[in-house]
Amino acid sequence: MKKETVRKICSVSILGAAGFILMLLEFPMPFIIPSFIKFDFSELPALIAAFCFGPISGIGVCLIKNLLHLFVTTSAGVGELSNFILGAVFSLVCGLVYKKNHT
């Protein structure tokens, strides 16, 4: 393995763990009727990975953070699946736009 590949894998895993920690710090949204909708900052490490290493790395961060969150969830994985789909699409689109318009 090349040194850059190992660095990328380690960075993605560390960002995934940071996303999991940020996922635990969630805030309820005021004035929204469903009580299960909460706001967290867990997509920031995925965006950082998508901008630094490419969109696939951003999706990897989303996968890692949601797999870790499966152990502490009460939604039987439905919330994590939804969060993964939304986060993966968000990271993919942002990563591809940044890759094309590298400004």
Side-chain angles (χ1 to χ4, degrees):
M1 272 185 144
K2 292 183 182 179
K3 186 177 181 180
E4 291 297 319
T5 307
V6 174
R7 180 178 178 193
K8 184 177 178 180
I9 291 171
C10 290
S11 299
V12 167
S13 62
I14 290 171
L15 287 170
F20 168 68
I21 299 291
L22 289 173
M23 200 174 200
L24 294 176
L25 304 173
E26 54 190 20
F27 307 101
M29 296 294 292
F31 308 116
I32 294 183
I33 295 172
S35 63
F36 61 85
I37 296 179
K38 302 207 187 308
F39 181 75
D40 62 10
F41 294 102
S42 65
E43 293 303 320
L44 289 177
L47 284 177
I48 291 170
F51 291 151
C52 291
F53 304 115
I56 302 300
S57 297
I59 294 172
V61 170
C62 289
L63 180 67
I64 290 170
K65 76 178 174 82
N66 284 301
L67 286 176
L68 289 173
H69 198 261
L70 276 173
F71 295 110
V72 295
T73 187
T74 58
S75 68
V78 175
E80 284 72 25
L81 179 63
S82 173
N83 188 306
F84 172 71
I85 292 170
L86 291 173
V89 170
F90 184 58
S91 297
L92 179 70
V93 170
C94 290
L96 289 174
V97 167
Y98 182 73
K99 192 174 185 179
K100 183 165 175 70
N101 300 332
H102 199 65
T103 60

